[in-house]
Amino acid sequence: MKTIPVLPIKSTVIYPGSAVPLRVGRTGSIAAVQKAYDTGRTILAVSEKVDTEGRDVTSNDLYSVGTLSKIEKLRGDPQNGYQILLRGISRYRVNSFENSENHIWADGDVWKEITDDDQSTHKALLGSLKTLAKEILELLPADTKQLAELVDGIEDLSFLAYLCASNLEIEKSLKQEVLETRAIRDRVLLLLGIMQNLKNSLEVQGEIREKLSQKMGKFQREAILREQLKTIREELGESEGQSLGGIGGGANKEEYRKKIDEAQMPEAVKKVALEELNRLEAVGNGSPETHVIRNYLDLLCALPWSKSSASSGANSSFEALDLTSARETLDRDHYGLEPIKKRVLQHLAVMKLKKSGRGQILLFVGPPGVGKTSLGQSIAKAMGRKFVRGSLGGVRDDAEIRGHRRTYIGAMPGRIIQGIKRAGENNPVFMLDEIDKLGRGFQGDPSAALLEVLDPEQNNTFLDHYLDVPFDLSKVFFIATANSLDSIPAPLLDRMEVVELSGYTTAEKLHIAKNHLIPKQLEEHGLTAEQLVLSDAGVLKVIHSYTREAGVRDLQRKIATLCRSLAEKVLEPNAELPVRVEVESLDELLGAERFVHEVAERLSPPGVATGLAWTPQGGEILFIEANLMPGKGQLILTGQLGDVMKESTQIALSLVRSRLAHLIPSFEFEKKDIHVHVPAGAIPKDGPSAGITMLTTIASLLTGRSVDSKLAMTGEVTLRGAVMPVGGIKEKVIAAHRSGIERVILSKRNQKDLRDVPEEVRSALKFEFVETATEVLNLALGLNEGGDFNAQSGSSSSDYSHKRQVAE
């Protein structure tokens, strides 16, 4: 076909059979329209790919498929532009564009319709297109009845597809894709997919319009009724405060007023509650603030402003406190823990004398599983109070303690006020669990918020941000729990009295298992003492070989495993009851032993010593190993040691080089490397209690003297050779006893700390108290100040080799 003038189309796509009015104002478009009108009125309408606002259109800006069209009407002039009516005739494929005579020319071919589908396919596509088109028309808010009738009367599939595409409000690129799809079947399927998406979108928009209409109608109706009610009140001479129409009439206001009176609030708080009650009426039911005010009033009415438990309700009630009964309750629920029980009874005695519940805030510190939380429950039972527990582990927002401000919907009071509300009394025993695991985020510091809560001098006017009125916490008996004191800020720690709970001894664990854990697990597993019996020897074996902990939590899990394992055996028809758990059956029920005796190896090579360490989980024994190799005089430290332990090792090496140089005169330190390792290597270790153990290890390595495997030690050493005291003696000594140690070396200044160690542990161990590093080496290696060997305390390297050969 010969070249024809091109009319670029900005915002739409013209389809064959459709008539489109256009405004032509660009210079090139005016020239193209003039040329086409003068030469048969035929022009090629081609859509633009991109926006060409502010510049001339080029052939690169146009699609390669357009619509050959006829100019049916033309109005205007070249100076002011033209208004034309363009009717599409057929699709046109452009092979090339050319710029001349101030406009674009196109050379190409007319695309004919491809109709290879059979009559049934053609009919099905036509029906689907009509149905979907009419469904879309029904969803439009305008009157589309005539357009629906027009669609229903069209039988030409191609024309109907073009008609639908030209009237859809979709992107120009999708319209161009419909035009460029050559086969009728493919074009209709593409169009059906586009129309289905449009239908779904229109359905959602219709639902939104309907909901908004209903909501606005409801608000308008309420506003009209409220104005009418206001007019009726004015005619009756009633004030606005006499009825509470916003929450359902005067009855609800009187109900709230009754709750406020029954709550026995302080006068200042009651005044705030009544003000909120009047404000609730003013805002009405349609305001979002209604729910905020209601929740606030409900909290004010629910808090126990004047309600206390019987033990603190009046002065005479304090006199009725029975210390003997409280002691029996504590003894019945917990075995051991004498310092804790003594402190609680002292607190109760002071309460009885003062006739007041105000007292010190306790902090229970100890490893997991020793009964810190359950002890709080027993204290509440002994005091006749409600028990409330709030876990602080992982709390990073101070609003969790002080509450959120009532500036948005969803604000809540803090955990303290929520706990008081749950208790229903203003003097419960409130346990703040895991206080050492408080976090600190960008929202604030919750530990700082606790400073007011845990200060008896100022918590009588505690101010929760949500409550916004003072609440008296001075009657609350606060107990906090922690595994370690290291992460608790010093100002917060200063508010509390620290009570340490160490681990249990083997005898205590056996007693707890027999009187508490086994009966509890039998009940939880539906068993009785007549059906299942755990022997004392079996329980001791579980304690020694299957658990290693300061508390009894893992022991309880192992007892639960035994109960589950034998439940099926108890139900066997011919089972011999009771089923007994003996030592021999533990291997089958619990598997192989998890722990072996650390000091089972009687002979230790030179360069190995046993230390004692404290961890948040209780005491542990610590092996320190050293080895010697050719090198450059370096000290190699492994085992993830902290800075303090590294410095202790360097001090120990300096002491050995200065004190024992006469024992090893030919030893060349500058040609040897000393490697010190503390298993297990995957566990970080630090602390000031490994100094004498490091000293003994290095001295043993260099002198060839082995250390007794049943000897353990703990203490810090200074550069001048003084042995300094350390903490955690009770936990360390219990760990030594549990591990089979027989002798323990301690600083002389730690002798007083043995008073806290149970008598059964003290009597089973021999304690050596030292003041200098020389005394340590003399006891551990048989070295006196002159450097002589003591054959009874240690053995030479040749003796060690001989004993090792005999053992082999």
Side-chain angles (χ1 to χ4, degrees):
M1 183 177 180
K2 66 179 181 178
T3 57
I4 58 175
V6 175
L7 176 62
I9 306 297
K10 280 186 179 182
S11 58
T12 188
V13 176
I14 298 177
Y15 293 102
S18 61
V20 181
L22 295 174
R23 167 103 172 108
V24 180
R26 291 184 290 193
T27 303
S29 300
I30 291 174
V33 169
Q34 286 178 325
K35 187 68 177 178
Y37 197 81
D38 295 335
T39 58
R41 300 188 179 186
T42 301
I43 196 169
L44 180 62
V46 182
S47 296
E48 299 176 5
K49 297 179 183 178
V50 294
D51 186 11
T52 59
E53 189 69 29
R55 65 179 178 85
D56 294 332
V57 181
T58 65
S59 58
N60 294 329
D61 300 324
L62 303 176
Y63 286 103
S64 60
V65 176
T67 303
L68 197 64
S69 307
K70 190 81 171 181
I71 302 176
E72 292 192 347
K73 291 184 180 180
L74 177 68
R75 291 182 183 179
D77 54 70
Q79 289 75 27
N80 298 318
Y82 292 113
Q83 292 281 351
I84 65 174
L85 180 65
L86 210 61
R87 181 175 296 277
I89 300 174
S90 62
R91 292 182 301 167
Y92 189 87
R93 173 72 178 184
V94 178
N95 296 327
S96 63
F97 289 103
E98 181 182 354
N99 290 321
S100 64
E101 300 181 21
N102 296 329
H103 64 87
I104 302 174
W105 296 81
D107 182 13
D109 302 303
V110 175
W111 264 9
K112 296 182 180 180
E113 294 287 355
I114 299 176
T115 54
D116 296 335
D117 298 325
D118 54 23
Q119 191 65 25
S120 60
T121 303
H122 185 279
K123 187 175 181 180
L125 293 173
L126 182 65
S128 299
L129 195 58
K130 285 185 178 181
T131 301
L132 194 54
K134 288 188 286 186
E135 289 175 353
I136 291 175
L137 291 173
E138 290 177 358
L139 294 172
L140 297 175
D143 185 9
T144 57
K145 184 177 180 181
Q146 292 182 352
L147 191 55
E149 292 176 353
L150 173 63
V151 169
D152 201 40
I154 297 175
E155 298 299 325
D156 186 346
L157 181 60
S158 179
F159 177 74
L160 180 59
Y162 288 139
L163 177 64
C164 292
S166 62
N167 286 279
L168 291 177
E169 293 184 3
I170 57 176
E171 296 178 1
K172 185 173 67 174
S173 59
L174 290 176
K175 289 192 174 188
Q176 181 67 27
E177 186 177 357
V178 172
L179 180 67
E180 292 181 0
T181 304
R182 191 164 186 181
I184 295 179
R185 179 178 178 274
D186 296 338
R187 191 186 317 140
V188 173
L189 291 176
L190 172 64
L191 188 61
L192 287 173
I194 296 172
M195 292 172 68
Q196 184 62 47
N197 292 335
L198 180 61
K199 177 192 171 186
N200 296 338
S201 177
L202 290 173
E203 286 176 345
V204 173
Q205 294 176 18
E207 291 176 2
I208 293 173
R209 283 197 302 270
E210 183 179 356
K211 290 180 179 179
L212 287 175
S213 176
Q214 292 176 356
K215 190 173 182 180
M216 292 303 296
K218 179 182 178 182
F219 284 164
Q220 291 170 356
R221 180 172 175 271
E222 288 180 354
I224 294 172
L225 291 175
R226 196 171 290 112
E227 287 297 323
Q228 291 176 349
L229 182 60
K230 184 177 179 181
T231 304
I232 292 172
R233 286 180 185 167
E234 291 176 353
E235 292 294 327
L236 293 175
E238 295 181 355
S239 64
E240 292 186 2
Q242 289 178 344
S243 178
L244 196 57
I247 59 171
N252 276 342
K253 179 176 181 179
E254 292 305 320
E255 183 179 344
Y256 266 116
R257 188 181 296 276
K258 182 180 178 182
K259 287 182 179 179
I260 293 172
D261 292 336
E262 291 176 351
Q264 299 180 4
M265 306 175 184
E267 286 301 322
V269 180
K270 187 174 182 179
K271 181 180 178 182
V272 172
L274 293 175
E275 289 175 355
E276 291 295 321
L277 188 61
N278 291 330
R279 195 161 70 92
L280 180 59
E281 177 191 12
V283 298
N285 232 7
S287 173
E289 216 175 339
T290 301
H291 299 290
V292 177
I293 300 174
R294 281 184 180 178
N295 291 338
Y296 182 62
L297 285 174
D298 290 339
L299 176 63
L300 288 178
C301 296
L303 284 175
W305 299 95
S306 303
K307 184 180 179 182
S308 302
S309 63
S311 64
S312 299
N315 291 345
S316 59
S317 298
F318 285 105
E319 297 175 358
L321 278 173
D322 189 349
L323 298 183
T324 303
S325 176
R327 175 73 192 193
E328 292 174 353
T329 301
L330 293 174
D331 288 339
R332 183 172 58 251
D333 292 345
H334 288 82
Y335 180 75
L337 306 177
E338 293 303 323
I340 316 298
K341 297 175 184 177
K342 183 178 180 180
R343 178 63 185 86
V344 174
L345 292 174
Q346 290 172 354
H347 183 84
L348 296 180
V350 172
M351 286 173 54
K352 188 170 184 177
L353 291 173
K354 290 179 58 180
K355 300 179 177 58
S356 171
R358 184 175 177 179
Q360 186 67 29
I361 292 154
L362 303 182
L363 171 60
F364 293 161
V365 181
V370 296
K372 298 185 295 295
T373 304
S374 59
L375 184 61
Q377 296 173 338
S378 299
I379 291 173
K381 191 189 304 182
M383 298 177 67
R385 298 192 186 187
K386 293 288 186 65
F387 177 76
V388 182
R389 176 179 175 267
S391 179
L392 302 180
V395 173
R396 305 178 64 86
D397 188 356
D398 62 349
E400 293 284 335
I401 307 298
R402 283 188 170 275
H404 303 80
R405 299 189 184 276
R406 285 183 293 117
T407 54
Y408 55 89
I409 297 175
M412 295 176 61
R415 297 194 180 193
I416 305 300
I417 294 299
Q418 289 184 37
I420 298 296
K421 178 185 174 183
R422 289 197 306 271
E425 298 174 356
N426 61 7
N427 65 337
V429 173
F430 202 124
M431 175 160 281
L432 300 172
D433 225 355
E434 309 291 354
I435 198 171
D436 59 327
K437 296 176 179 60
L438 281 172
R440 184 173 183 177
F442 64 88
Q443 302 95 332
D445 185 1
S447 63
L450 281 173
L451 292 177
E452 181 185 358
V453 176
L454 300 180
D455 189 351
E457 299 299 327
Q458 59 177 320
N459 64 5
N460 58 336
T461 56
F462 173 70
L463 189 65
D464 183 274
H465 289 158
Y466 181 88
L467 196 61
D468 206 25
V469 291
F471 189 88
D472 186 4
L473 296 178
S474 62
K475 298 178 182 179
V476 180
F477 185 13
F478 283 105
I479 301 174
T481 70
N483 296 128
S484 173
L485 299 178
D486 297 339
S487 58
I488 303 177
L492 182 59
L493 186 61
D494 186 58
R495 297 289 198 275
M496 300 174 285
E497 177 184 346
V498 177
V499 180
E500 295 186 356
L501 285 77
S502 58
Y504 295 112
T505 64
T506 301
E508 289 174 336
K509 289 184 179 181
L510 177 61
H511 189 282
I512 293 171
K514 290 173 61 178
N515 293 277
H516 298 278
L517 303 182
I518 294 176
K520 178 182 177 182
Q521 292 303 318
L522 288 176
E523 181 180 355
E524 290 187 359
H525 290 82
L527 299 170
T528 64
E530 289 75 25
Q531 295 174 317
L532 181 63
V533 174
L534 277 75
S535 66
D536 290 356
V539 175
L540 285 173
K541 182 66 174 178
V542 173
I543 294 172
H544 282 294
S545 303
Y546 291 91
T547 64
R548 178 159 299 172
E549 56 178 345
V552 292
R553 191 169 292 163
D554 197 22
L555 176 60
Q556 178 172 305
R557 285 193 287 265
K558 291 297 181 291
I559 293 174
T561 302
L562 291 175
C563 293
R564 289 194 305 270
S565 302
L566 295 173
E568 183 180 359
K569 190 173 183 180
V570 169
L571 294 176
E572 292 179 357
N574 300 323
E576 295 183 5
L577 300 179
V579 176
R580 295 187 61 85
V581 179
E582 300 291 350
V583 175
E584 296 77 13
S585 59
L586 291 178
D587 188 68
E588 178 185 352
L589 298 173
L590 297 179
E593 296 181 8
R594 293 177 56 193
F595 305 103
V596 295
H597 232 283
E598 294 92 341
V599 295
E601 184 182 354
R602 298 305 180 190
L603 297 177
S604 297
V608 178
T610 305
L612 298 175
W614 179 92
T615 70
Q617 287 73 39
E620 291 288 345
I621 68 168
L622 204 66
F623 292 105
I624 298 178
E625 305 170 349
N627 207 349
L628 197 64
M629 66 200 77
K632 299 180 180 180
Q634 294 181 350
L635 176 63
I636 304 170
L637 302 175
T638 56
Q640 293 204 49
L641 304 185
D643 292 338
V644 176
M645 290 190 71
K646 289 179 180 178
E647 292 176 357
S648 296
T649 310
Q650 292 169 349
I651 293 172
L653 180 59
S654 298
L655 280 172
V656 169
R657 295 184 65 176
S658 62
R659 297 293 180 91
L660 298 182
H662 60 284
L663 296 178
I664 42 176
S666 61
F667 188 84
E668 298 178 342
F669 283 94
E670 65 277 2
K671 295 183 179 181
K672 300 290 184 179
D673 287 346
I674 298 177
H675 186 170
V676 178
H677 177 64
V678 184
I683 301 175
K685 311 166 191 72
D686 200 8
S689 61
I692 64 173
T693 316
M694 292 291 186
L695 174 68
T696 304
T697 303
I698 296 175
S700 170
L701 175 69
L702 298 181
T703 61
R705 306 285 291 179
S706 60
V707 182
D708 185 3
S709 61
K710 292 190 176 182
L711 172 67
M713 60 194 74
T714 180
E716 186 57 289
V717 66
T718 67
L719 199 56
R720 56 186 173 84
V723 178
M724 307 300 293
V726 293
I729 295 299
K730 181 180 178 181
E731 291 82 1
K732 293 176 181 178
V733 170
I734 292 176
H737 176 259
R738 183 175 63 233
S739 303
I741 297 294
E742 295 179 355
R743 295 168 58 212
V744 178
I745 297 178
L746 300 174
S747 169
K748 192 169 184 179
R749 291 162 63 183
N750 280 127
Q751 187 172 0
K752 62 182 185 304
D753 297 318
L754 292 180
R755 291 178 299 179
D756 298 331
V757 179
E759 174 60 31
E760 64 172 291
V761 176
R762 292 203 308 266
S763 61
L765 296 173
K766 180 182 180 181
F767 296 96
E768 308 279 2
F769 300 103
V770 296
E771 292 181 324
T772 65
T774 304
E775 296 178 55
V776 174
L777 297 181
N778 189 35
L779 291 171
L781 301 176
L783 299 178
N784 56 27
E785 294 184 2
D788 296 330
F789 293 92
N790 185 341
Q792 294 180 352
S793 300
S795 57
S796 65
S797 57
S798 59
D799 291 337
Y800 170 75
S801 302
H802 173 70
K803 289 184 178 180
R804 183 175 58 184
Q805 292 173 3
V806 172
E808 291 176 353

